[in-house]
Amino acid sequence: MEANKNGLNTEKENTDHVVKTVISAEERAKLTPDQILQEFLDGNERFRNNNLTQRDHSELIRKSAFGQYPKAVVLSCLDSRVPVEDVFDQGIGDIFVGRVAGNFVNEDLLGSLEFACKVAGAKLIIIMGHQHCGAIIGAIDNVKLGNLTTTLSKIKPAIKMSQNYSGNMTSKNEEFVKLVSENNVRHAISTIRSKSPILKEMEENREIKIVGLFYTLTKGELLFVD
């Protein structure tokens, strides 16, 4: 082990702040949905500043093996440029992640969200669209390709919601693509509330919070979708 110029052990210095524990049921119980959301937003700021929390993943794997108490569930797009855990600076055991091209909600994902919240105790649902989404672009362009045709049809309601846009309504217009992506998030949240009485009741009782976010690939920042 080496000592730095101040005589301190550098290996110890570098591991002092490494996270080695997973969240417990007791720790999660003390958190409100708003506190969890703020924690995730703070984590995104660390992500954007290249200051991610150091974690001992090998230790976290072992400690999370026999139980999990995630704080939130995030429904994200399939896109490889959106590393969900890193975007929010969360570790093993902190977050459920559902991914599908176009981050829409169907029966399977509704069931997954209900499991995450009602059964497993997550307190926050985040529906996260993103900039330059290929699924959104494909839906706008009316792409037809095998099973992808059915997948993209789930995004069509968001295109319909965007018809009052006064500009060029094509996939070449980044502003229009962003609007459709945001409306796709809104539609997903609306679907949750209309098709899952379980989650709707939990939200009304303030047991959970449902939030829409838009992730920018160019800056790594998160914008609220009202």
Side-chain angles (χ1 to χ4, degrees), residues 43-156:
N44 178 250
E45 184 175 356
R46 293 193 297 273
F47 169 71
R48 287 185 285 112
N49 291 321
N50 199 28
N51 187 32
L52 287 173
T53 302
Q54 295 184 60
R55 294 181 170 89
D56 185 334
H57 289 97
S58 296
E59 186 70 12
L60 295 178
I61 289 170
R62 288 190 290 271
K63 289 185 175 178
S64 65
F66 301 103
Q68 60 171 336
Y69 308 98
K71 297 167 280 190
V73 52
V74 177
L75 174 57
S76 173
C77 183
L78 191 69
D79 200 290
S80 65
R81 299 165 294 178
V82 188
V84 177
E85 286 86 352
D86 282 350
V87 165
F88 296 105
D89 191 18
Q90 299 298 307
I92 294 171
D94 288 333
I95 180 173
F96 286 114
V97 179
R99 303 194 74 147
V100 64
N103 51 270
F104 58 82
V105 173
N106 63 6
E107 184 181 69
D108 299 314
L109 289 164
L110 276 177
S112 297
L113 295 174
E114 289 172 350
F115 167 78
C117 296
K118 189 67 176 180
V119 179
K123 297 182 178 182
L124 175 68
I125 295 175
I126 295 175
I127 308 297
M128 185 167 65
H130 69 92
Q131 185 182 28
H132 305 319
C133 179
I136 298 293
I137 292 171
I140 294 172
D141 289 342
N142 202 31
V143 168
K144 306 289 185 183
L145 176 66
N147 292 299
L148 182 61
T149 304
T150 302
T151 299
L152 297 182
S153 72
K154 307 296 195 305
I155 301 172
K156 296 295 185 179

Side-chain angles (χ1 to χ4, degrees), residues 4 109 159 174 204 224:
N4 65 13
L109 289 164
I159 299 175
E174 184 175 344
E204 290 173 347
F224 279 100

Side-chain angles (χ1 to χ4, degrees), residues 6 29 97 104-105 151 169 171 178 197-198 200 218:
N6 295 317
V97 179
F104 58 82
V105 173
T151 299
M169 292 190 290
S171 64
K178 180 175 183 288
I198 291 173
K200 185 175 185 293
T218 49

Side-chain angles (χ1 to χ4, degrees), residues 15 29 41 56 135 157 167 186:
T15 59
L41 296 177
D56 185 334
R186 295 183 179 102

